[in-house]
Amino acid sequence: MEIAANIGLPGEEADALKAGAEGIGLLRTEFLFQGRDVAPDEEEQYRAYRLILQALGTRPVIARTLDIGGDKPAAFLALPREDNPFLGFRAIRIGLARPDLLKTQLRALLRAGEGGNLKIMFPMVATVEEMRAARELTLRAHAELVASGVRCAATVEIGAMIEIPSAALIADRLSAHADFFSIGSNDLTQYTLAADRGNPAVAGLFDALHPAVLRLVDMVIRASHEAGKWTGMCGELAGELDAIPILLGLGLDEFSMGAAAIPQAKALIRKLWVEETKLLAEEALRQPGAGEVRLLVKEWMHVHL
Ligand code: PEP
Ligand code: MG
């Protein structure tokens, strides 16, 4: 089991390492794309990714391809206004519709991954077809780099972010096209409970410890393990102290969180027995709501810590 950090700006990898991160579980790449009129070219992206990969040495770096649209606008694309941007043209949907953009990013990442431990994952996957196409594009970008003698990562693991309930529900089918899964619990909660993650009026409903979300998490982890793959989590839930014993009990393989949360999370995990957390997780899945799950964990920690 691994504790990794989420980063979204160059330089944050140093804080992550200082905090005890064993890798980067989510490199948000939007910093290169937001607030500008022109997309960054391959060279600019390569230089930014390379610094981060070099800082991490042989530790894993999971880079997420561009996740724009919805709550992450990008002026350079000049996208038309949408009535439902969270259900609209965003993330992997843009990447696959604009393979020029996505392939440039993939080439930059693959080049930056030379000698390192690069993994690439795709945001907001909803269908097997999307994952198959994204994987093909990545392998093609890699083959082209190799064929033209450009130095790049020798191999790359390709993952699917699980942020949409459809992806969780077909995780057993998606697993044939992904080397790993990373659960984006922020969006997975938003879409499962139909509660906008940024809207304070529905903040009471937005709780990633809702058993509906936990049951999806359970399905994803099981599907990955049955296929001999692994599952991480890079949403806020992975760093929440009340969630960690449950996630451990569900068999989560990698926890990725903001650097500030790492020391406390590690201290808690050291105190836990996996066999005991399995029973807690089973009980959590049987609860009727998030409130009951939170109460259950509080009582459990009181007894077990
Ligand atoms: C998530 O949705 O949980 C996630 C990690 O991605 P982001 O918060 O960047 O949407
Ligand atoms: Mg997300």
Side-chain angles (χ1 to χ4, degrees), residues 6 26 28 30 64 67 71-72 90 121 123-124 161-163 182-189 197 233-237:
N6 298 346
L26 166 62
R28 291 185 167 100
E30 292 77 60
R64 173 178 76 186
D67 185 17
D71 56 337
K72 307 177 184 79
R90 57 176 307 195
M121 68 181 177
M124 310 294 296
M161 279 192 79
I162 307 292
E163 309 186 88
S182 183
I183 299 172
S185 56
N186 309 333
D187 278 311
L188 187 60
T189 304
R197 60 193 270 186
M233 180 180 282
C234 58
E236 296 298 315
L237 190 67

Side-chain angles (χ1 to χ4, degrees), residues 233-251:
M233 180 180 282
C234 58
E236 296 298 315
L237 190 67
E240 239 199 77
L241 296 181
D242 284 350
I244 287 173
I246 298 177
L247 297 173
L248 200 65
L250 292 174

Side-chain angles (χ1 to χ4, degrees), residues 240-250 255 268 272 277-278 280-281 297 300-301:
E240 239 199 77
L241 296 181
D242 284 350
I244 287 173
I246 298 177
L247 297 173
L248 200 65
L250 292 174
F255 294 67
L268 172 62
L272 300 173
T277 61
K278 280 185 188 164
L280 167 69
V297 183
W300 187 90
M301 297 241 240

Side-chain angles (χ1 to χ4, degrees), residues 85-283:
F86 283 99
L87 303 180
F89 191 50
R90 57 176 307 195
I92 193 175
R93 299 167 187 185
I94 296 180
L96 292 177
R98 291 283 309 269
D100 53 322
L101 274 180
L102 184 53
K103 200 159 162 215
T104 301
Q105 181 173 36
L106 291 169
R107 284 177 59 97
L109 282 168
L110 290 164
R111 285 175 54 203
E114 190 216 350
N117 185 353
L118 171 73
K119 305 176 201 300
I120 295 176
M121 68 181 177
F122 295 92
M124 310 294 296
V125 172
T127 69
V128 164
E129 289 74 15
E130 286 170 341
M131 195 53 212
R132 199 186 283 141
R135 188 180 183 86
E136 261 173 36
L137 193 65
T138 312
L139 296 178
R140 203 175 328 133
H142 189 242
E144 284 173 14
L145 288 170
V146 171
S148 46
V150 180
R151 294 165 66 163
C152 62
T155 56
V156 62
E157 275 185 57
I158 304 169
M161 279 192 79
I162 307 292
E163 309 186 88
I164 299 180
S166 65
L169 292 162
I170 56 159
D172 62 335
R173 305 291 102 188
L174 270 176
S175 62
H177 309 277
D179 301 313
F180 67 94
F181 293 137
S182 183
I183 299 172
S185 56
N186 309 333
D187 278 311
L188 187 60
T189 304
Q190 154 165 276
Y191 291 119
T192 301
L193 291 162
D196 182 342
R197 60 193 270 186
N199 183 346
V202 291
L205 196 56
F206 183 93
D207 192 332
L209 276 181
H210 193 285
V213 179
L214 294 178
R215 287 183 186 202
L216 293 175
V217 170
D218 179 49
M219 284 182 71
V220 174
I221 296 171
R222 280 177 195 279
S224 69
H225 290 175
E226 273 161 28
K229 316 270 167 95
W230 58 275
T231 296
M233 180 180 282
C234 58
E236 296 298 315
L237 190 67
E240 239 199 77
L241 296 181
D242 284 350
I244 287 173
I246 298 177
L247 297 173
L248 200 65
L250 292 174
L252 192 72
D253 301 290
E254 180 235 31
F255 294 67
S256 192
M257 61 195 73
I262 290 179
Q264 271 195 310
K266 277 192 166 182
L268 172 62
I269 289 171
R270 276 192 209 105
K271 291 189 210 157
L272 300 173
W273 292 96
V274 176
E275 284 311 313
E276 286 179 353
T277 61
K278 280 185 188 164
L279 298 175
L280 167 69
E282 279 169 26
E283 232 180 299

